[in-house]
Amino acid sequence: MKLHRFFIPPQFISGRYARIPDPDLAKQIGRVLRLSPGDMLILLDGDGFEYTARLEKVSAREVHVEIMKRQWNDKEPELKIALYQSLIKKDKIEWVFEKCTEVGVTNFHPVLSERSEKLRFNVLRAEKVVKEAAEQSERGIKPEILEIEEFGRALRRGAASEAMILILHPEGSSLERVTFPKKLLAVNIFVGPEGGFSDAEIDLARELIKNGAPISIVSLGPRILRAETAGLVASAILLNRN
Ligand code: SAH
């Protein structure tokens, strides 16, 4: 049987026995899943290590386990994708975070674009969705959701880093024509809101490209995808290139 997996703060794991003072975890383990002493589970430190553990005791507020084995999670992709998702409707952005976590995106940068209609989302809820998706899909890390940033700022900051930047835009050139470095280690993917990127935003990207920034404006094909679909599709394509 597949063991249940739980991200926990790494400081709670040290030595053979661990006491985890986390009421949410205790509730999940004791009341929701009804695990009992002797049951096995996997704890994740969020840095890529997994601990196979035996449940010793669970109360309303704490979980006690015996750590049996520590192993490295080898399911994290080598390619680190940062998804710069323009703000879209709340349940849609949660869906993006959830599905992209399953696929293997490393972290999420919510972006305020000119045509974003929604200006915020429930961060705590989104983090919970990401955590559960990361546990379910057997990730070694829990993708982080960063602060909301305005498009121009995010793009300029990205352009100053090493990572390659892909701006998804239906009128861009084909993704297949982009020349990737031989060893592609980091990509920042920008996805527009429901109404797409504005002309000013695309002009800014062109300006940065002229000045040598590693940005490509790319299309995923002739069909227009929903704002919540595009990042997922691009991530899946990139993570499955050889
Ligand atoms: N009418 C808008 C469509 C926006 S779709 C426009 O023409 O821009 C919402 C977002 O999804 C876009 O901003 C883009 O980032 C992404 N997207 C959707 N379909 C795409 C495609 N075929 N190629 C590249 N990006 C796409």
Side-chain angles (χ1 to χ4, degrees), residues 7 73 75-77 81 83 94-108 128-143 231-232 235-236 239-240:
F7 281 99
N73 173 295
K75 297 186 182 178
E76 282 302 313
I81 294 184
L83 185 67
E94 283 178 9
W95 188 88
V96 171
F97 294 156
E98 177 180 36
K99 299 302 157 196
C100 289
T101 296
E102 291 169 27
V103 161
V105 168
T106 299
N107 55 43
F108 299 104
K128 188 159 177 268
V129 166
V130 166
K131 177 169 172 278
E132 284 169 9
E135 289 168 347
Q136 185 273 328
S137 58
E138 306 196 357
R139 298 284 304 263
I141 62 142
K142 188 171 58 178
L232 179 62
S235 300
L239 288 165
N240 290 292

Side-chain angles (χ1 to χ4, degrees), residues 12 51 144:
F12 297 141
Y51 299 81
E144 201 181 339

